[in-house]
Structures are given as structure tokens and as C-alpha cells.
């Protein structure tokens, strides 16, 4: 009976340890880096909805009622946008917090396109 309790306790410890390691956030240093700007490729910008995706925190930044909001998924009124099925641009010259500070620049460089296609896949501010 004592061995069963010890085995069960070890089993629980192993499971809780593996669950904790899965919850650990991605480290910034593990992201790819742009060799020209020395910035990590942390953000994607979605020009057609004026939203961002953070590859480090795995969240979207979007405007809701005039304020920037963060969420793991976009709300339903964004029409099912996804990281994988719509046009997005990699931001190569910014890897700090709050990418929406540059929204005016990003809107100018990557304007809305009804067909969802863009000539360039990255943004380097040139």
C-alpha cells in the first residue's frame, strides 16, 4: 500500500511538472531575427482589419470601441480572421511592447486591399 501511494505521488508530480512546462511562455530569444534591423520577428500586422498578432505572447491586438484590446482570439465580428488564412505582414523593425503605436505608419505602408494581397511580406520601414 505504501509503494502504491509513493508511485501515485510520483506520477502526479511528473504530470504537474509537464503541465507547468507547457504553460511556460516563449522566450523572445527563440524568435527569428531580422539581420538588417536586429529586431526579433515578433509581430504580424493584418492591414485589412488593422490588427496585430504577437508571436511572443500569442495574442491579438485590435481596436474595440476605440481602445486597443488584447485577446488570444479575434472577436466574431472580425469575420473569422486567422493568422493562417488572411493576408498579413511581418513587422521587422519593431519588437518592443505596444506595436499599435506604429499603426499610422503601417496603415500608410500597407493600405487596405480588398483582395487581401500585398506585394511584400515584411515591413522594414524603408
Amino acid at each position: 500500500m505504501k509503494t502504491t501511494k509513493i508511485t501515485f505521488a510520483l506520477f502526479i508530480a511528473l504530470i504537474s511538472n509537464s503541465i507547468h512546462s507547457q504553460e511556460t511562455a516563449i522566450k523572445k530569444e527563440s524568435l527569428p531575427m531580422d539581420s538588417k534591423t536586429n529586431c526579433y520577428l515578433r509581430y504580424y500586422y493584418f492591414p485589412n482589419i488593422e490588427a496585430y498578432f504577437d508571436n511572443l505572447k500569442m495574442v491579438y491586438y485590435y481596436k474595440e470601441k476605440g481602445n486597443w484590446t488584447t485577446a488570444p482570439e479575434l472577436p466574431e465580428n472580425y469575420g473569422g480572421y486567422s493568422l493562417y488564412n488572411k493576408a498579413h505582414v511581418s513587422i521587422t523593425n519593431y519588437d518592443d511592447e505596444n506595436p499599435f503605436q506604429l499603426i499610422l505608419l503601417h496603415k500608410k505602408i500597407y493600405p487596405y486591399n480588398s483582395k487581401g494581397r500585398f506585394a511584400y511580406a515584411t515591413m522594414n520601414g524603408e
Side-chain angles (χ1 to χ4, degrees), residues 25-92:
I26 297 172
K27 299 212 185 286
K28 193 172 187 178
E29 294 76 24
S30 67
L31 295 173
M33 183 177 258
D34 183 85
S35 59
K36 289 182 181 178
T37 61
N38 285 333
C39 286
Y40 293 100
L41 301 179
R42 179 174 175 179
Y43 297 103
Y44 290 125
Y45 171 60
F46 294 86
N48 289 0
I49 58 172
E50 296 177 5
Y52 295 90
F53 180 76
D54 185 342
N55 284 308
L56 187 62
K57 295 181 180 177
M58 304 301 282
V59 295
Y60 288 91
Y61 294 91
Y62 58 93
K63 269 196 169 181
E64 187 172 68
K65 297 179 182 176
N67 296 318
W68 285 96
T69 305
T70 304
E73 294 181 7
L74 290 169
E76 289 181 21
N77 63 333
Y78 275 80
Y81 254 74
S82 163
L83 182 61
Y84 303 105
N85 72 355
K86 298 295 180 188
H88 62 274
V89 180
S90 294
I91 304 299
T92 61

Side-chain angles (χ1 to χ4, degrees), residues 99-116:
F100 44 84
Q101 293 174 351
L102 303 174
I103 188 71
L104 295 177
L105 174 65
H106 295 154
K107 283 171 58 172
K108 182 178 178 180
I109 295 172
Y110 298 102
Y112 171 80
N113 182 333
S114 62
K115 296 185 182 191

